[in-house]
Amino acid sequence: LFSPMAQPAHPKAEDAPPRRSFRADELTLRKELMLSEKQLFDIRHFLNSDWKHEYIDVLPTTMLVHRDIASSKLGIKSCVYITYYSPDNISAYNAPKFCCQNKRGKRRRYNSSYMNVLYDAWTNIHKGDLNEITTIGIAPPMPADYVNRMCLMWRARNVNENHEGRLFSLACGHLACVKCWLDCCEWAMEGTDLAIPCPTSRFCCTERLTINRAAPLLSDATLDIILSHEWRTLLKQTEKVQCAGCNHWLKRSNFYRKVMAAGCACGCYTCVRCGQAEHSPLWCKDAATWSDIRKIPNIEEAAAEADKCWLLSREDFDYCIAPLEAVYSDLFKANLRFMKTHDRFNGRRLMKDMPEVARMLEMRRVQLLAHRKEHNPVTEYEGMNSENKWDQLEEHFLNALDTLGSTKEKAKYLHNVREGILYHYHF
């Protein structure tokens, strides 16, 4: 059934990431819990109570009960799935281990209005983000003759035969035995870069098996295999960029906003064209050359290389790197505590944004002294020409660094220079 002859040809992906190898016997079902008579009685009472129930959009009717409620109401000391199609046919399964754990890879969003454009266009993604269980308030409608129905694919097993023959379906209602589901998962993960489909997808069904829907059916080890498959699929099918600062992935979430840099939660901005740290106003090729020069550990050798490539004198080289050197100076570090406190109470990012702003000012000085072509800004900044705008922003930057103490004036200068540069080149 799931051979290449029975399914449409898979699209060839020349740059597809390496797949995780697995054996067919590694795809296993979730083990059913052995319930006592008292636990069965408590579950039936819980189903008939007015307690707010949380359902998964699969069939047969599947309810998720979290650990605190399951412990007090059902006598089960873990998160649990309750599956039933009649009051006399109730099964319980342990929920996956990530159910009530903090989600890995979740990155804090900053409450900063001027950053909304960057964060609306690109968002952080992590493999652990796929381990999310969502519920609905109303259970999908259950077929009245469910007990007499058979697998749509094999038409040989019914729900009463054995554990391997029980029927399972997504919200579409296309019931198939769990053996068919395991075969479908194996076929999809071996041969395609697409999401795992409903076994009856050749009958024009568009439903897909996600981690959230597979959790009541498949074991934790099998979910890990599916998670790796979904992560590869996500990276393959979405427009993405890797943060130049922390190497986390970001995906394009708003295709109506055209921005030149993707803002990561770590405070770094990454050029979406070349993957380097944001380098406006230099073009990508010139920025790569300058970055190679700056990676040279010996300052004398770096200055000599800059003179060789772009005819920059030692005085010009020192002038170019001055903004970034100032950010890492003792004077700037003396105000880190003030900036942390300011960011905490105002939802700003002074401490993380200033090195990035200093890098852009450094690139501006290189662009002028080396006579390189400038990036075209997205918008004009308050009707000013580019040269006057940069002079004003650099003046604010230097005044902010020269201001001592935890003053509102210092914060004002830092806000002006940061928002001016980002607004001009990103909005």
Side-chain angles (χ1 to χ4, degrees), residues 333-346:
K333 292 178 181 179
N335 286 275
L336 286 180
R337 184 175 180 180
F338 156 66
M339 283 185 278
K340 287 181 180 179
T341 305
H342 185 273
D343 292 348
R344 187 181 305 116
F345 286 99
N346 296 276

Side-chain angles (χ1 to χ4, degrees), residues 81 101 104 129 220 281 326:
Y81 287 112
Q101 294 179 354
R104 288 182 55 196
D129 294 339
D220 286 350

Side-chain angles (χ1 to χ4, degrees), residues 51 58 69 83-84 89 106 140 194 218 221 223 238 339-340 377 404 414:
W51 196 273
V58 296
I69 302 176
T83 301
Y84 62 95
N89 294 274
K106 186 175 181 181
L194 306 176
L218 304 176
L223 289 180
T238 59
M339 283 185 278
K340 287 181 180 179
L404 289 172
L414 292 174

